[in-house]
Structures are given as C-alpha cells and as structure tokens.
Amino acid sequence: MNLPNKLTVLRVLLIPFFVAALLWEHGENQTMRWAAVLIFVVASLTDLLDGKIARKYNMVTNFGKFMDPLADKLLVCSALICLIELGQLPAWMVIVIISREFIISGFRLVASDNGVVIAASYWGKFKTTFQMIAVILLIVRIEALSLVTTACVWISLILTVVSLADYLAKNHRVLTEGSM
C-alpha cells in the first residue's frame, strides 16, 4: 500500500463524513456546511496528489488504476446526489452527469478487455475541475456568487456532454470493431 493508494483510500473514507456534514441540519449555523466544504476540498486534493505522486515516483499500481477513478466518481456522485436532496440541483442534471460516468466506465471496461487503455482526456479533466468548483460553490451558497455558481454548474454539465462525445468519437472502434 504505497502513498498514492493510501491517498485514494483516504478519499473513499472521507466520503461518509462529507455526506454527513453536508446533510446535517444547518439552520442558521453554517459550521457543518463549512466542514463539508473542507472535507470535500481535502478529498479533491487527494485526487490531484495521488496521480501526480504515482506517476512521478513510478508508483502506479493496478489497485490505483482501479480505485482512483472509482473514488473520484464516488466523491462527486455523492456530492451531486446530496445536492439534489438539499434542493440545490435538479435531478435531471445529476442523471446526465452520472450517466456519463457509467458510460465512460463501461467503455473503458470494454476497451480494457481488448487490451486498450483509454486515458483521461483534457475535456474530462476540465469537466472534473468545473464539477468540483461547482460543488464547492453550491455547498457554500454565497448569494454574491450565485451567478458564478450557476455558470459553473452549466459549464460542468456542458463539459460532461462534450467529454462524453469526445471519448466516443475518439474511441468508437472499441465498440464497433472490438479492438483499436
């Protein structure tokens, strides 16, 4: 269990604490909301660090290849589902975002069975960045930033669709020919 894998496991272990803090009855006291933001930011930073460390120090493992993207999806999907519960996101948006994650995961599984590795694209990385920013802004609910928050939500949704189209266009042969 190397450092990048420990960071990935930490991200997964932080999810229940994040969800509990986010869904806690807030009332006038915003302490738990800010705790949720802090946990989400720490978990997001582990995502940034684990991959960089693994690549830089040649610590890439099969566990990391499997768990890192899964941990990312669990974190973001947990946040989005909680934001539906809190009335801050419409369910249809979250369904689009989560559907994209399932499609790409399935696509990667088929590619992997054919010996093909589908690397993360820049569109996917931009999508993830905007999703994380949007989640943070939605959690903090600062009225003065409502326009920025709305813009980030819509940009992340658009990038979700664009990144899906990009993956499918670049790798369509995985499904149509069985290998690339």
Side-chain angles (χ1 to χ4, degrees):
M1 185 61 76
N2 61 30
L3 179 59
N5 290 344
K6 288 177 183 176
L7 290 170
T8 298
V9 169
L10 175 62
R11 186 162 59 259
V12 172
L13 293 175
L14 287 173
I15 293 169
F17 296 99
F18 163 70
V19 169
L22 185 56
L23 295 179
W24 197 278
E25 285 296 319
H26 299 290
E28 294 298 315
N29 186 347
Q30 296 294 309
T31 305
M32 293 308 284
R33 188 171 284 274
W34 286 103
V37 169
L38 178 63
I39 295 167
F40 187 83
V41 168
V42 168
S44 298
L45 290 175
T46 68
D47 179 31
L48 183 67
L49 288 174
D50 64 6
K52 287 187 183 290
I53 293 169
R55 286 184 295 277
K56 183 174 181 179
Y57 296 104
N58 197 26
M59 300 171 119
V60 175
T61 64
N62 286 335
F63 177 84
K65 287 180 198 176
F66 171 73
M67 278 304 296
D68 180 59
L70 182 60
D72 300 343
K73 287 169 182 42
L74 288 171
L75 176 65
V76 172
C77 291
S78 296
L80 296 174
I81 292 166
C82 289
L83 290 166
I84 293 172
E85 174 75 17
L86 295 170
Q88 292 182 254
L89 276 179
W92 72 266
M93 276 188 175
V94 176
I95 290 168
V96 169
I97 293 167
I98 291 175
S99 295
R100 182 256 186 218
E101 299 306 332
F102 275 107
I103 291 167
I104 295 299
S105 294
F107 205 68
R108 282 192 168 131
L109 185 62
V110 170
S112 175
D113 283 349
N114 290 306
V116 176
V117 175
I118 299 177
S121 74
Y122 286 109
W123 289 112
K125 291 178 183 188
F126 293 143
K127 172 216 44 111
T128 300
T129 300
F130 271 94
Q131 280 179 349
M132 291 183 172
I133 292 168
V135 166
I136 291 166
L137 290 170
L138 285 163
I139 294 169
V140 297
R141 293 169 71 175
I142 298 173
E143 189 61 37
L145 296 176
S146 64
L147 188 58
V148 173
T149 302
T150 301
C152 284
V153 168
W154 280 99
I155 290 169
S156 71
L157 183 67
I158 291 165
L159 289 173
T160 295
V161 174
V162 169
S163 66
L164 174 62
D166 180 60
Y167 274 109
L168 296 177
K170 287 180 179 172
N171 301 290
H172 66 89
R173 288 176 282 157
V174 167
L175 294 178
T176 58
E177 297 174 12
S179 65
M180 292 181 33

